[in-house]
């Protein structure tokens, strides 16, 4: 099963990089918000699920230059564009893992724990929940997740609703553009909704 629904976008029709950026990239507003969150929480070991052309990865790296980012992407053409962007912007300690998410994600989280996992891939309920369940295997007490586009469609809203109810989830913050999840066992279970 391949959960990366956009991995064959180049087979369907040729897109300019600017068109792909608009279709899949992070907006300036969301990039600035992501940067602020990362600057505040300062995660060191980061995993991104869904590199696309590397715009989200770049925002994360700008926010914390000392971080180590592992990012997973299924489409070889997008990986080429992302690698060029990382090289151009001198983004060191950024590793791209190529392949089917359902296979590469499990292998990746079994190798090490992550402070932060950014979910920015296929916006479906099935894929989001599958990646969430795998991602939990690679966390520690102070880890946090950010889910992109939790209101993109009914499936993402349903996935977000289920994630909030998961027994390991202690605190969630819904800021419309992103859903943030914390796992600290010492924290009382709470769900917050904030508009920014």
């Amino acid at each position: 099963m391949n959960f990366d629904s956009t991995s064959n976008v180049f087979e369907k029709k040729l897109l300019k990089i600017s068109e792909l950026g608009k279709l899949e990239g992070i907006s300036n507003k969301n990039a600035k918000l992501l940067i602020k969150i990362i600057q505040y929480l300062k995660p060191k070991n980061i995993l991104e699920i869904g590199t696309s052309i590397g715009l989200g990865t770049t925002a994360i790296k700008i926010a914390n230059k000392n971080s180590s980012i592992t990012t997973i992407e299924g489409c070889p053409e997008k990986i080429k564009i992302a690698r060029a962007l990382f090289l151009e912007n001198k983004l060191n300690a950024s590793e791209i893992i190529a392949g089917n998410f359902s296979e590469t994600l499990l292998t990746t989280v079994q190798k090490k724990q992550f402070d932060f996992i950014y979910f920015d891939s296929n916006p479906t309920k099935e894929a989001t929940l599958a990646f969430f369940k795998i991602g939990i295997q690679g966390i520690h007490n102070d880890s946090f997740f950010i889910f992109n586009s939790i209101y993109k469609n009914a499936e993402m809203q349903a996935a977000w609703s289920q994630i909030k109810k998961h027994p390991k989830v202690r605190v969630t913050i819904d800021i419309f553009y992103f859903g943030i999840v914390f796992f600290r066992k010492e924290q009382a279970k709470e769900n917050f909704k904030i508009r920014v």
Side-chain angles (χ1 to χ4, degrees):
M1 168 173 7
N2 185 0
F3 287 121
D4 183 10
S5 67
T6 58
S7 63
N8 61 1
V9 72
F10 289 96
E11 295 170 15
K12 291 178 184 171
K13 73 174 197 177
L14 293 175
L15 294 176
K16 294 179 183 176
I17 293 174
S18 61
E19 292 171 336
L20 188 59
K22 287 177 187 170
L23 180 68
E24 294 189 11
I26 190 168
S27 69
N28 284 339
K29 180 179 181 177
N30 289 357
K32 288 176 185 175
L33 183 57
L34 183 60
I35 288 169
K36 286 180 182 179
I37 295 167
I38 301 305
Q39 285 174 335
Y40 181 76
L41 296 171
K42 298 178 177 55
K44 295 286 185 194
N45 293 316
I46 298 168
L47 174 62
E48 177 187 38
I49 304 166
T51 315
S52 187
I53 59 173
L55 298 176
T57 320
T58 302
I60 292 167
K61 195 65 175 173
I62 286 169
N64 189 354
K65 290 183 168 61
N66 297 320
S67 63
S68 171
I69 301 176
T70 302
T71 183
I72 299 171
E73 178 54 55
C75 176
E77 295 303 320
K78 292 179 194 173
I79 291 171
K80 287 179 193 173
I81 296 166
R83 282 200 172 113
L85 180 66
F86 298 164
L87 186 64
E88 181 183 329
N89 290 290
K90 299 181 176 101
L91 300 182
N92 301 327
S94 297
E95 175 191 11
I96 300 175
I97 297 174
N100 183 302
F101 293 176
S102 58
E103 296 163 8
T104 55
L105 178 57
L106 182 58
T107 305
T108 303
V109 299
Q110 288 174 341
K111 289 181 184 174
K112 69 176 177 179
Q113 288 188 321
F114 292 95
D115 304 321
F116 163 47
I117 300 180
Y118 181 48
F119 295 78
D120 190 21
S121 62
N122 186 351
T124 65
K125 179 181 178 183
E126 180 186 11
T128 302
L129 293 176
F131 299 155
F132 170 73
K133 288 174 185 170
I134 295 170
I136 282 180
Q137 298 175 45
I139 64 168
H140 53 77
N141 195 47
D142 295 322
S143 297
F144 69 99
F145 290 174
I146 295 180
F147 292 86
N148 189 23
S149 304
I150 59 172
Y151 287 99
K152 183 173 185 114
N153 55 42
E155 286 196 41
M156 284 302 291
Q157 290 175 48
W160 177 243
S161 181
Q162 275 193 244
I163 288 164
K164 291 190 299 184
K165 294 173 187 168
H166 191 279
K168 286 193 176 182
V169 170
R170 303 308 298 158
V171 172
T172 65
I173 304 173
D174 172 344
I175 53 175
F176 187 75
Y177 306 104
F178 300 121
I180 308 170
V181 176
F182 296 93
F183 300 92
R184 286 183 65 89
K185 292 173 190 158
E186 304 82 4
Q187 182 74 37
K189 192 159 179 86
E190 293 184 83
N191 298 308
F192 298 97
K193 191 177 258 193
I194 302 169
R195 292 293 173 250
V196 291

